[in-house]
Amino acid sequence: MASPIASRGSLAPLFEPRAIAVYGASSDPTKIGGRPLDFLKSSGFDGALYPINPKAAQIQGLPAFATVSAVPGPVDLAIVAVPAPGVLAALEDCAAKGVCGAVVLSSGFAETGGQGVAWQAGISALARRTGMRVVGPNCMGLISVRRRLLGTFTPSAAGFGLVPGRISLVSQSGAFGGYCLSLIRQRGLGLNLWITTGNQCDVDVADCITHFAGDDGTQVIVAYLEAATDKDRLVAALALARERGKRVVVMKVGRSEAGAQAAASHTASLAGSDQVYEGLFRQYGVWRARSIDELFDVAYACSVNAPAPLGRRLGLLTVSGGVGALMADVASDCALDVAPMPEDAQRRLKELVPFCGPRNPVDMTAQLVNDLTLFGSNFQIMLEEGGYDVVVAFLSSVGQVMELSRSLLEQLQAVLRRFPDRAVVFSSLASPEVRRMYEAAGVLLFDEPTRAVRAAAALVYFAEQSRRAAQADPPPALPAGALPPPVRAINETQAKTILASAGIAAVPERIAADEDAAAREAAALGYPVVLKIASADIAHKSEIGGVIVGLADEAQLRKAFRTLTQRAATHAPQARVDGVVVARMAERGVETILGVVRDPVFGAVVMFGLGGVFVEAFQDVAFRVAPFGVAEARAMIGEVKGRVLLRGVRGQPPADEDALAAALAALSVYAARHTDGIESIDINPLLVLPRGRGVQALDALIVPTTGAA
Amino acid sequence: MASPIASRGSLAPLFEPRAIAVYGASSDPTKIGGRPLDFLKSSGFDGALYPINPKAAQIQGLPAFATVSAVPGPVDLAIVAVPAPGVLAALEDCAAKGVCGAVVLSSGFAETGGQGVAWQAGISALARRTGMRVVGPNCMGLISVRRRLLGTFTPSAAGFGLVPGRISLVSQSGAFGGYCLSLIRQRGLGLNLWITTGNQCDVDVADCITHFAGDDGTQVIVAYLEAATDKDRLVAALALARERGKRVVVMKVGRSEAGAQAAASHTASLAGSDQVYEGLFRQYGVWRARSIDELFDVAYACSVNAPAPLGRRLGLLTVSGGVGALMADVASDCALDVAPMPEDAQRRLKELVPFCGPRNPVDMTAQLVNDLTLFGSNFQIMLEEGGYDVVVAFLSSVGQVMELSRSLLEQLQAVLRRFPDRAVVFSSLASPEVRRMYEAAGVLLFDEPTRAVRAAAALVYFAEQSRRAAQADPPPALPAGALPPPVRAINETQAKTILASAGIAAVPERIAADEDAAAREAAALGYPVVLKIASADIAHKSEIGGVIVGLADEAQLRKAFRTLTQRAATHAPQARVDGVVVARMAERGVETILGVVRDPVFGAVVMFGLGGVFVEAFQDVAFRVAPFGVAEARAMIGEVKGRVLLRGVRGQPPADEDALAAALAALSVYAARHTDGIESIDINPLLVLPRGRGVQALDALIVPTTGAA
């Protein structure tokens, strides 16, 4: 486990240096050691620049120094481009000089194996020892657009060409970071800070997110992440970003098996399960993009100063009925509420354009061409009477004409002065000038209408996450009498006893050592009952016929007892059998599965899914890092497609989701408390009874960690 | 039902006119009657132009005529922009002159209701009577890029700005068509023909698809469709397009409830169920796009002369491991096979770049910058030894540099000469010149890597569809002894008898009128048996407890008989009860649901889904228009997510998918034969037994059409 976040030095010297030394500076501006110097000189960086090269008196017109210690003034940042074998010595020099931050561009470290691994370990040790923050090695460097600081050799930075803005980006991969930089330039997105972390010998993605979270110039954090190395730092970073109201948009590859294998072989590190990341991102209000287009669409949407939508109600205003219907389709995919206009308001809209579509989408038709003021009047009625939280307006190619676009924007602003809490997203093919005019007014503009709708959905998501974060959702307290986890294999009744002590109710059941005891217990519980073999050595009872259900009376029970003992003797002769479990027949309810697994990165992780074939055949499950509160558990339940079964299908009553959420939260607290002692917990099924009647664990397995015994 | 396709006149005069008359031609080039003339004059259309306007001697510098009959030479196409009340008279003039095609831009017809409806009916009648093909009214007109014919008033056509190419587009919606035109210009896509059909009084989307299918200059057909009016024409059009090897990409809105409502209110026509369209598109190898970006990405992919991939094996070549993993994720979403390179080949790749990722994605790393020939050598090994059908190569921003791009293309072509059947999709930010160079070489180029992968998936889809279309898949013959559908309500045993006669096997069962008969039949079938109330008046037996399963002997059977008769008397006293059904207890198998419904547009439609909650809770179903063959049935089964259950989960053996497909095809043939007599058929469940053991209809309901009795 790495040192806690507080003890790590700030990244400020990296992004706010007064002076920069370039180690291995070259006179050839196409070389890795020449390019950053060339970029820094030509971009207009306002600090001092010191080429470090023992073999030259001057590099690219600047006086060169043999080592950084020879530099007369202070140096805050060193960019290191010497060959791998010389990097550590260069960094020692820097530390001696009091340099606070270094970026190591050189490759030939852990990624190549062999001696490189040792060299990289040396850099890590130096960083820890001296407190100097080191980026890389094997990275593409960093950029501060405001400072015109191009501390990178990526060709994508050539000629600067960057617009200052509120997006900051961190990429573990240099190639990915460079490609993104090109895209950012092509799209004209406003950028603040940019950094690639490469081998992450010291500074990792989590550090950068933390830095961005504390940076006033950053509103949106874009992160490309391959594998987290430190749960606590990443969680702390995401929590800080959320607390500071920054929007975090991530690209985390490895969703599929092929993708995960590619990512693993690429990073040579054991990533946690992808589904755990998915859960973590939802837990901390992060948007996970599935494509690079989406990554920057969402980043762009969050970088413009649009109000956070108050709810999911989406108004659609269009000049094309067809595009209106298309936007409604995509809005439904995004679970936005395309609520219809009130009847009265529909009549008012019909007065404006008799043949319009007034319902929602509101179709102004081509009449807009004849009367541009229809836009303002339609829009006003939609906000006034439709009460939409966010409106997406499709205007075809109007944005290509500045004159028309200005008129539309003025109408829009006149209405928004009365409804300052409503967000608006435009979709139109548009000239760059029109785009900038709209963005300056806090109105998003997308060429393509479905991308506009998806951006609106992202705004809604972040707004919901902010509201959720504002409400306390502490994990519940662990019950006072909660039993510790076992140190060796236990049977299901013992497992359920432990879980019950932790707050997860089980079906009433007893263990009976012999046939007569079984009959007594059954009579006490009341028929009909279920009989199951009780043995810590038989984990999957049903596979050997070790469960007999629906026993209606004592005769059936006694016969079943003999059958079970016979089967255990036949199929599992080595198993130590404690007798049988006599349980009351379960009521009707919805079968769910709750699990706990130990993730190599994130520790205790709780899994939830519907019972039956849903988990096995569809992988329809949700994960969360433990511990969490009841509201988080509720969100988790909501993510599972099979959730419809809990709402009551085929005439069944709605299930007790409150009790289910409480059980999930309780399980997470228990799992987090005993992370080191528990290998896994499997409650399968947990029966969710009708609303108000709770849950019952019908079967449970707790596997202790092998080292724990 | 409209007249068969063969009797309808060709659309050639619309797109290949020698001379055009513009009715309602205006001197003001911003007016609806002035703009087409202005466009046609300035675009360089090579035919004669005749403004028709009784009030002027000259319009926009051309001699004007009072009516088309006054025009000296022949006129093939009339563009009509006079106000609605005068349109019919203008068209009568045209017909008298022998004009073969007319485009009515004017609005004020069916879309406004009232008198407009009658006017439009008049146009339809005229078109039918004279054979003149009429586009519109209330449409945006048409374009032939090759002829530089801008028969439209959409501002999107101003200044021409169109590149000739192999994509032809038809849009029911004028606004959608205009927006697409702007997009096509912005993306620089090659366009051939463009048409909007508006109110479709005569020419509809299906006619245009048929025309495009027969047009040598068209390779890709893009269609925006709101609602089909004539199944036979649409099906014939799609079949012809497939036969001629044209790729069809559609945007059909109304997937969601909100979208469908929007589409319905917009077109004021009863669209068939969206899921039926979905089935139809798959049946005829059409790609349905979910966004406008996707619509044109796929159209673009099909318009470039890339080879049709021979299979689903996808090779990924990348300069960024991260983007490689991202592409692998998206490839998995698209069900492409990211198969690994053989071990030997991986060793060869490692020799080229020791620290590369050799598996697939193949990561060339930034080494490519130092040695550009790595691209060709990696690519060659991938084709040679990986045997990939299609390769997507991510090259970051290399496409912005012509020199590098040319080198890569030359290397690529050298390899492709040896593997001319492999398709390649590039992803790189690229200059327009580089893009054109690659396209000319049959290499697709996308800025964004996930869009490149999705385009590759579209190429694979179309190639598979072509192969499938090349293999005969006739619907099976209806069995000679197939019984006709009932003319009034029948009980389930009668329904199963009819279905069995049509080739869909049922569980062995008998009807017994009284208790003794039931006992005799049960003895003949063999215990255990199921007992069910037999009544044509009780459609949902299980809701009144009308089914008792697992009867082990005669005593249980007799008791159950009395219980059932009692329940029927209590819960359905009016029902006429035929006795009970005695059926052999079903074996273990997978429960599926087969259905037939009558779609308002498409007639008899067959539905398939898994039993249990899948259909009800997840709408996990597939549709096909009847009739179809066994291969189509197999494709249908493959579309359902619950299909995994048929493959055998939880230790169950794989189910008999052959028999299931045969039952679906047989049902489709029966339904198509008796479309007019059947309101619906519901086989729920159809039990699919383990492989080689067939299927059994356990319950069935046939509802005859009310008019049929």
Side-chain angles (χ1 to χ4, degrees):
Chain A
M1 192 67 58
S3 54
I5 194 162
S7 74
R8 293 164 72 90
S10 158
L11 301 192
L14 293 166
F15 290 110
E16 297 291 348
R18 289 163 294 175
I20 302 177
V22 180
Y23 251 90
S26 162
S27 295
D28 179 349
T30 69
K31 290 230 164 120
I32 179 175
R35 205 180 270 165
L37 195 62
D38 178 48
F39 284 171
L40 284 163
K41 278 174 54 200
S42 57
S43 68
F45 171 65
D46 58 4
L49 288 177
Y50 303 112
I52 311 293
N53 188 329
K55 295 182 194 145
Q58 258 201 332
I59 303 270
Q60 297 189 32
L62 294 172
F65 299 85
T67 72
V68 74
S69 50
V71 170
V75 172
D76 297 317
L77 171 63
I79 293 171
V80 179
V82 299
V87 166
L88 191 57
L91 292 174
E92 295 282 8
D93 282 356
C94 291
K97 168 78 178 173
V99 174
C100 301
V103 174
V104 182
L105 304 178
S106 326
S107 56
F109 291 88
E111 82 281 9
T112 62
Q115 180 61 43
V117 176
W119 286 332
Q120 183 169 322
I123 304 178
S124 295
L126 178 142
R128 271 197 305 276
R129 197 181 71 234
T130 63
M132 179 167 71
R133 299 310 306 265
V134 182
V135 183
N138 187 30
C139 78
M140 282 273 190
L142 57 80
I143 295 174
S144 162
V145 177
R146 194 169 45 75
R147 291 288 306 280
R148 302 187 73 86
L149 188 177
L150 296 183
T152 175
F153 68 103
T154 178
S156 306
F160 200 70
L162 294 163
V163 181
R166 300 147 62 82
I167 299 172
S168 290
L169 180 146
V170 53
S171 171
Q172 199 169 342
S173 152
F176 192 93
Y179 175 69
C180 287
L181 197 64
S182 292
L183 260 185
I184 285 168
R185 287 174 65 160
Q186 192 191 51
R187 291 181 66 153
L189 295 175
L191 183 68
N192 183 30
L193 307 175
W194 176 95
I195 185 170
T196 62
T197 55
N199 291 9
Q200 305 197 139
C201 78
D202 171 37
V203 172
D204 68 2
V205 170
D207 287 324
C208 298
I209 293 175
T210 301
H211 180 76
F212 295 163
D215 173 52
D216 289 340
T218 298
Q219 169 64 18
V220 184
I221 299 170
V222 175
Y224 169 82
L225 189 67
E226 282 171 353
T229 47
D230 186 313
K231 168 199 167 184
D232 294 337
R233 272 220 306 281
L234 182 59
V235 164
L238 297 179
L240 183 68
R242 185 167 65 171
E243 190 190 311
R244 298 284 169 90
K246 314 288 180 180
R247 308 312 198 194
V248 182
V249 193
V250 304
M251 171 63 70
K252 157 78 180 67
V253 294
R255 282 188 293 117
S256 65
E257 200 191 314
Q261 264 177 346
S265 82
H266 176 50
T267 60
S269 62
L270 184 60
S273 148
D274 188 76
Q275 288 177 305
V276 177
Y277 280 96
E278 185 79 31
L280 180 79
F281 294 148
R282 290 171 181 271
Q283 208 159 345
Y284 287 93
V286 171
W287 182 279
R288 183 182 193 179
R290 302 256 164 155
S291 71
I292 301 175
D293 276 345
E294 183 187 342
L295 187 69
F296 286 104
D297 280 357
V298 174
Y300 163 71
C302 297
S303 71
V304 171
N305 265 332
L310 298 172
R312 299 208 144 247
R313 287 171 65 91
L314 171 71
L316 295 168
L317 183 59
T318 180
V319 291
S320 154
V323 173
L326 171 63
M327 294 193 294
D329 282 340
V330 174
S332 297
D333 292 343
C334 300
L336 295 173
D337 177 12
V338 188
M341 292 286 289
E343 297 287 340
D344 270 2
Q346 292 195 31
R347 270 193 293 276
R348 282 185 59 196
L349 290 169
K350 281 273 190 193
E351 283 161 20
L352 294 174
V353 184
F355 314 115
C356 77
R359 197 174 184 279
N360 188 27
V362 172
D363 179 7
M364 297 176 284
T365 78
Q367 277 306 313
L368 184 71
V369 180
N370 301 325
D371 178 3
L372 214 59
T373 68
L374 283 175
F375 174 75
S377 39
N378 274 276
F379 182 62
Q380 177 170 333
I381 295 173
M382 287 184 79
L383 290 198
E384 224 164 43
E385 311 206 19
Y388 300 111
D389 304 303
V390 51
V391 172
V392 177
F394 173 72
L395 288 146
S396 194
S397 322
V398 166
Q400 291 175 333
V401 186
M402 173 52 94
E403 189 187 346
L404 303 179
S405 304
R406 188 177 290 119
S407 160
L408 292 181
L409 183 59
E410 282 164 6
Q411 295 179 51
L412 189 78
Q413 288 177 312
V415 178
L416 285 179
R417 271 191 286 277
R418 290 181 47 212
F419 299 96
D421 54 353
R422 312 298 177 90
V424 184
V425 183
F426 256 59
S427 172
S428 173
L429 298 178
S431 67
E433 300 72 43
V434 167
R435 187 176 300 280
R436 278 194 291 277
M437 180 174 74
Y438 274 68
E439 287 163 17
V443 178
L444 293 162
L445 189 56
F446 285 90
D447 278 3
E448 212 266 17
T450 67
R451 285 166 82 165
V453 172
R454 291 186 187 281
L459 294 181
V460 167
Y461 172 84
F462 281 117
E464 282 179 349
Q465 291 288 344
S466 293
R467 286 192 292 275
R468 211 152 77 75
Q471 287 176 341
D473 180 32
L478 189 65
L483 300 167
V487 293
R488 63 185 68 82
I490 55 173
N491 68 37
E492 67 161 292
T493 302
Q494 293 164 324
K496 279 182 274 191
T497 305
I498 292 173
L499 290 171
S501 79
I504 298 134
V507 69
E509 69 180 26
R510 317 278 172 86
I511 288 212
D514 57 38
E515 192 180 314
D516 289 337
R520 275 197 309 277
E521 299 295 2
L525 287 166
Y527 286 97
V529 297
V530 182
L531 219 60
K532 305 191 262 190
I533 289 171
S535 167
D537 302 331
I538 304 175
H540 301 287
K541 291 174 287 290
S542 50
E543 287 174 11
I544 63 153
V547 180
I548 301 180
V549 304
L551 304 172
D553 53 33
E554 188 172 325
Q556 289 185 12
L557 176 110
R558 286 182 179 274
K559 188 175 159 205
F561 183 94
R562 290 189 292 268
T563 306
L564 281 186
T565 357
Q566 182 58 45
R567 283 180 186 162
T570 309
H571 297 291
Q574 311 303 325
R576 195 186 32 189
V577 173
D578 304 329
V580 295
V581 176
V582 189
R584 193 179 293 157
M585 263 302 270
E587 304 174 62
R588 289 192 76 166
V590 179
E591 291 195 356
T592 62
I593 300 177
L594 274 58
V596 173
V597 289
R598 264 157 61 101
D599 183 90
V601 175
F602 295 102
V605 164
V606 174
M607 187 275 281
F608 168 71
L610 269 286
V613 297
F614 293 95
V615 171
E616 285 171 68
F618 297 102
Q619 277 87 49
D620 181 24
V621 291
F623 282 84
R624 285 294 187 276
V625 176
F628 50 82
V630 170
E632 196 64 51
R634 236 172 238 300
M636 195 178 172
I637 297 166
E639 281 166 26
V640 170
K641 291 190 199 71
R643 186 199 176 176
V644 288
L645 300 184
L646 293 167
R647 290 180 188 152
V649 292
R650 296 188 151 186
Q652 296 300 308
D656 197 336
E657 287 194 34
D658 290 343
L660 174 60
L664 276 163
L667 181 64
S668 82
V669 167
Y670 187 75
R673 168 70 184 77
H674 295 291
T675 301
D676 294 335
I678 296 170
E679 190 58 40
S680 69
I681 298 178
D682 191 17
I683 310 179
N684 181 7
L686 180 92
L687 194 73
V688 187
L689 300 173
R691 197 173 282 164
R693 312 226 347 252
V695 297
Q696 284 182 342
L698 300 192
D699 197 353
L701 185 64
I702 302 180
V703 179
T705 45
T706 29
Chain B
M1 193 66 62
S3 55
I5 194 162
S7 74
R8 294 164 70 90
S10 159
L11 301 192
L14 293 166
F15 290 110
E16 296 293 347
R18 288 164 296 175
I20 302 176
V22 180
Y23 252 90
S26 162
S27 296
D28 180 348
T30 68
K31 291 231 164 116
I32 179 175
R35 207 181 269 165
L37 196 63
D38 179 47
F39 284 172
L40 285 163
K41 278 173 54 200
S42 58
S43 67
F45 170 66
D46 58 5
L49 288 176
Y50 303 111
I52 311 293
N53 189 329
K55 295 182 194 146
Q58 257 200 331
I59 303 269
Q60 297 189 35
L62 294 173
F65 300 83
T67 74
V68 73
S69 49
V71 170
V75 172
D76 298 316
L77 171 63
I79 294 171
V80 180
V82 299
V87 166
L88 191 57
L91 291 174
E92 295 282 8
D93 283 356
C94 291
K97 167 79 179 173
V99 173
C100 302
V103 174
V104 181
L105 304 177
S106 325
S107 57
F109 292 89
E111 83 280 9
T112 62
Q115 181 61 45
V117 176
W119 287 331
Q120 183 169 323
I123 304 178
S124 294
L126 177 141
R128 269 197 305 277
R129 200 180 70 234
T130 63
M132 181 167 71
R133 300 311 305 267
V134 182
V135 182
N138 187 30
C139 77
M140 283 274 189
L142 56 80
I143 294 175
S144 161
V145 177
R146 194 170 43 77
R147 290 290 305 279
R148 302 186 75 85
L149 189 176
L150 295 183
T152 176
F153 68 102
T154 177
S156 305
F160 200 71
L162 294 162
V163 182
R166 300 146 64 80
I167 299 172
S168 289
L169 181 145
V170 53
S171 171
Q172 199 169 342
S173 152
F176 193 93
Y179 175 69
C180 287
L181 196 64
S182 292
L183 260 185
I184 285 168
R185 287 174 64 159
Q186 193 190 51
R187 290 179 68 153
L189 295 176
L191 184 67
N192 183 30
L193 308 175
W194 176 95
I195 185 170
T196 63
T197 54
N199 291 9
Q200 307 198 138
C201 77
D202 171 37
V203 172
D204 67 2
V205 170
D207 287 324
C208 298
I209 293 174
T210 300
H211 180 77
F212 295 163
D215 174 53
D216 289 340
T218 297
Q219 169 64 19
V220 184
I221 299 170
V222 175
Y224 169 81
L225 189 65
E226 282 172 354
T229 47
D230 185 314
K231 168 202 167 185
D232 294 337
R233 272 221 305 281
L234 182 59
V235 165
L238 297 179
L240 183 68
R242 184 166 66 171
E243 190 190 311
R244 298 284 169 90
K246 315 287 181 180
R247 309 311 199 195
V248 182
V249 193
V250 303
M251 171 63 73
K252 156 78 180 66
V253 295
R255 281 189 295 117
S256 66
E257 201 190 313
Q261 265 177 346
S265 80
H266 175 48
T267 60
S269 63
L270 183 59
S273 147
D274 189 75
Q275 288 178 306
V276 176
Y277 280 95
E278 185 80 30
L280 180 78
F281 294 149
R282 290 171 181 271
Q283 206 158 346
Y284 287 94
V286 170
W287 183 280
R288 183 182 193 179
R290 303 257 163 153
S291 72
I292 301 176
D293 276 345
E294 184 187 340
L295 186 69
F296 287 103
D297 279 357
V298 174
Y300 163 71
C302 296
S303 72
V304 172
N305 266 330
L310 298 172
R312 298 208 144 248
R313 287 172 66 92
L314 171 70
L316 295 167
L317 183 59
T318 180
V319 291
S320 155
V323 173
L326 171 63
M327 294 193 294
D329 282 342
V330 174
S332 297
D333 292 343
C334 300
L336 295 173
D337 176 13
V338 188
M341 291 286 289
E343 296 289 340
D344 268 3
Q346 294 195 30
R347 269 192 293 277
R348 281 185 59 194
L349 291 168
K350 281 273 190 193
E351 283 162 20
L352 294 174
V353 184
F355 314 116
C356 76
R359 198 174 180 279
N360 186 26
V362 172
D363 179 7
M364 298 176 283
T365 79
Q367 276 305 313
L368 184 71
V369 180
N370 300 326
D371 178 4
L372 214 58
T373 68
L374 283 174
F375 174 74
S377 39
N378 274 276
F379 182 62
Q380 176 170 336
I381 295 172
M382 287 183 81
L383 291 197
E384 225 163 42
E385 311 206 18
Y388 300 111
D389 304 304
V390 51
V391 172
V392 177
F394 173 73
L395 288 147
S396 195
S397 323
V398 165
Q400 292 176 333
V401 185
M402 173 52 93
E403 189 186 348
L404 303 180
S405 305
R406 187 176 291 121
S407 159
L408 293 181
L409 183 58
E410 283 163 3
Q411 294 179 50
L412 189 77
Q413 288 178 311
V415 178
L416 285 180
R417 272 191 285 278
R418 292 180 47 213
F419 299 95
D421 54 353
R422 312 299 176 86
V424 184
V425 183
F426 256 58
S427 172
S428 174
L429 298 178
S431 67
E433 300 72 43
V434 167
R435 188 175 300 279
R436 277 194 290 277
M437 179 173 74
Y438 274 68
E439 286 163 17
V443 178
L444 293 162
L445 190 55
F446 286 90
D447 279 3
E448 212 264 16
T450 67
R451 286 166 81 164
V453 172
R454 291 186 187 281
L459 293 181
V460 167
Y461 172 83
F462 282 117
E464 282 179 350
Q465 291 289 344
S466 294
R467 285 192 293 275
R468 212 152 74 76
Q471 288 179 338
D473 181 32
L478 189 65
L483 301 167
V487 292
R488 63 186 67 82
I490 54 173
N491 67 37
E492 67 160 294
T493 301
Q494 294 164 322
K496 278 182 277 191
T497 303
I498 291 173
L499 290 170
S501 79
I504 299 137
V507 70
E509 70 180 25
R510 316 278 172 86
I511 289 214
D514 57 38
E515 192 180 314
D516 289 338
R520 273 196 310 278
E521 299 294 4
L525 287 166
Y527 287 98
V529 298
V530 181
L531 220 58
K532 304 192 263 189
I533 290 171
S535 167
D537 302 330
I538 304 174
H540 300 287
K541 292 174 289 290
S542 51
E543 286 174 11
I544 62 154
V547 180
I548 302 180
V549 303
L551 305 172
D553 53 34
E554 188 172 325
Q556 289 185 15
L557 174 109
R558 287 182 179 276
K559 187 175 159 203
F561 183 94
R562 291 189 290 269
T563 308
L564 281 187
T565 355
Q566 182 57 46
R567 283 181 187 161
T570 310
H571 298 291
Q574 310 305 325
R576 195 187 32 189
V577 172
D578 305 328
V580 295
V581 175
V582 189
R584 193 179 292 157
M585 264 299 272
E587 305 175 60
R588 290 193 75 166
V590 179
E591 291 195 355
T592 62
I593 301 177
L594 274 56
V596 172
V597 290
R598 262 157 61 102
D599 182 90
V601 175
F602 294 102
V605 163
V606 174
M607 188 274 280
F608 168 71
L610 268 287
V613 296
F614 293 96
V615 171
E616 285 170 68
F618 297 102
Q619 278 86 48
D620 181 23
V621 290
F623 283 84
R624 285 292 185 280
V625 175
F628 50 82
V630 170
E632 196 63 53
R634 232 172 240 302
M636 195 177 172
I637 296 165
E639 280 166 27
V640 169
K641 291 191 201 70
R643 185 198 177 175
V644 288
L645 300 184
L646 292 167
R647 292 182 187 150
V649 292
R650 296 187 152 186
Q652 296 301 306
D656 196 337
E657 289 194 34
D658 289 342
L660 174 60
L664 277 163
L667 182 64
S668 81
V669 168
Y670 187 75
R673 169 69 186 74
H674 296 291
T675 300
D676 295 334
I678 297 170
E679 189 59 41
S680 69
I681 299 178
D682 192 17
I683 309 178
N684 181 6
L686 178 92
L687 194 73
V688 187
L689 300 173
R691 195 173 285 167
R693 306 212 8 239
V695 297
Q696 285 182 340
L698 299 192
D699 197 353
L701 185 64
I702 302 179
V703 178
T705 44
T706 30

